[in-house]
Amino acid sequence: MKQERYGIGKFSLEISMIVLALLFLFPLYITVVSGFKTYNEIMASAWAFPKSFNFDNYRTVWHQINIPGAFLNSLIITVTAVSAILLFSSAAAYQLVRRPGVVSNIIFFGILSAMVLPFQTLMIPLVKVAKELMLIDSLYGLIIIYCGFGVPLALFLYHGFIKSVPRELEEAAQIDGSGTFGVYFRILLPLMKPITSTIAILHTLWIWNDFLLPLITLTSAKNKTIPLASSIYFGEYNNEWGLAMAALSYAIIPMVVFFLLMQKYIIEGITTGAVKG
């Protein structure tokens, strides 16, 4: 009897998970499929399968908004910003954990306090400061800004993880002749692979898909990211849905592939970083 109930419960859970998966995949399906439709087909039925796979929308978008250039901009910004966030946050967390005290606590909680400030309250001061520092309309200026917004969460997760690493491992390495940098690069970095993967995934998805920060900092067409370049198809009097969906597909597909390759690290890394210690 118990086995039968267990079987029914397991079957119900699997059905529920399939339904939830379909609900989450439905917007992705609408986006990709609509890129193959004409405007009239989309207006007739957004969820219907296209009568024929027409690549005109994808070809038009490829040349009209310069997808290769926008893709390269997004790639440079994302890879550089995420790499910098990982390096600075892990190194800072290592020092703050291994050198406890009042100063370390003030620095740690001071950086974390940035997480509670709504971005909307920072937009105008951010633009003014960025303009004074000549960071407006610059890919590397935007990278610096992303580092400022991305470090607090990364530092918090690294801080929780490093607290769970036994000091004995570092002491043994120091006895063998390793200095601070040797301990950090040879001992800690390999141990931090799960939490590093999680932080990299979360920040890559955020930076790649972000629209607001590029909107207020990038002005020239040559520096636009894919989400920003795609915005030309949305307007008060102009909604070219077929072209818009094709442009969004170009932006979404790389992240879907990246997420599928890296998803196994998410739960493991968040659990390790946030619960232990």
Side-chain angles (χ1 to χ4, degrees), residues 34-214:
S34 296
F36 295 102
K37 295 179 180 180
T38 64
Y39 181 83
N40 292 332
E41 286 182 298
I42 296 174
M43 292 297 100
S45 178
W47 55 82
F49 210 67
K51 296 178 181 179
S52 63
F53 285 91
N54 188 341
F55 288 87
D56 288 345
N57 289 331
Y58 287 94
R59 282 193 290 264
T60 300
V61 168
W62 182 272
H63 297 288
Q64 196 171 64
I65 64 175
N66 187 19
I67 286 294
F71 180 89
L72 182 60
N73 290 338
S74 291
L75 188 64
I76 291 173
I77 292 170
T78 303
V79 172
T80 308
V82 171
S83 300
I85 289 170
L86 294 176
L87 179 62
F88 295 148
S89 301
S90 60
Y94 172 49
Q95 291 300 304
L96 291 175
V97 171
R98 294 304 184 231
R99 297 186 179 184
V102 176
V103 175
S104 294
N105 288 335
I106 291 174
I107 294 173
F108 178 63
F109 289 108
I111 294 175
L112 290 190
S113 65
M115 295 174 61
V116 303
L117 296 175
F119 176 74
Q120 290 77 7
T121 64
L122 303 174
M123 286 176 58
I124 295 177
L126 173 66
V127 172
K128 288 185 177 180
V129 173
K131 188 174 181 180
E132 292 293 330
L133 298 177
M134 294 182 291
L135 300 179
I136 295 295
D137 199 27
S138 166
L139 296 185
Y140 295 101
L142 182 57
I143 289 168
I144 293 172
I145 295 172
Y146 273 128
C147 288
F149 284 104
V151 162
L153 176 60
L155 179 66
F156 171 72
L157 294 175
Y158 273 126
H159 194 276
F161 183 90
I162 294 173
K163 286 170 65 177
S164 69
V165 176
R167 275 183 178 270
E168 288 77 9
L169 294 175
E170 300 171 36
E171 293 171 354
Q174 290 171 350
I175 291 174
D176 291 336
S178 294
T180 302
F181 287 100
V183 172
Y184 172 73
F185 285 105
R186 296 177 185 174
I187 304 299
L188 276 179
L189 278 185
L191 291 175
M192 291 191 296
K193 182 179 177 181
I195 192 64
T196 297
S197 300
T198 299
I199 295 170
I201 293 168
L202 296 176
H203 284 74
T204 297
L205 294 175
W206 161 50
I207 294 173
W208 182 275
N209 295 318
D210 186 40
F211 174 77
L212 189 54
L213 264 177

Side-chain angles (χ1 to χ4, degrees), residues 254-275:
M255 287 299 98
V256 171
V257 174
F258 174 77
F259 180 80
L260 292 177
L261 293 175
M262 302 292 290
Q263 63 176 331
K264 64 180 181 179
Y265 297 106
I266 293 180
I267 300 301
E268 177 187 358
I270 289 179
T271 303
T272 304
V275 176

Side-chain angles (χ1 to χ4, degrees), residues 1-14:
M1 189 68 178
K2 290 183 178 180
Q3 186 175 2
E4 181 180 351
R5 290 181 178 177
Y6 174 76
I8 295 174
K10 184 178 180 181
F11 177 76
S12 302
L13 180 61
E14 290 177 351

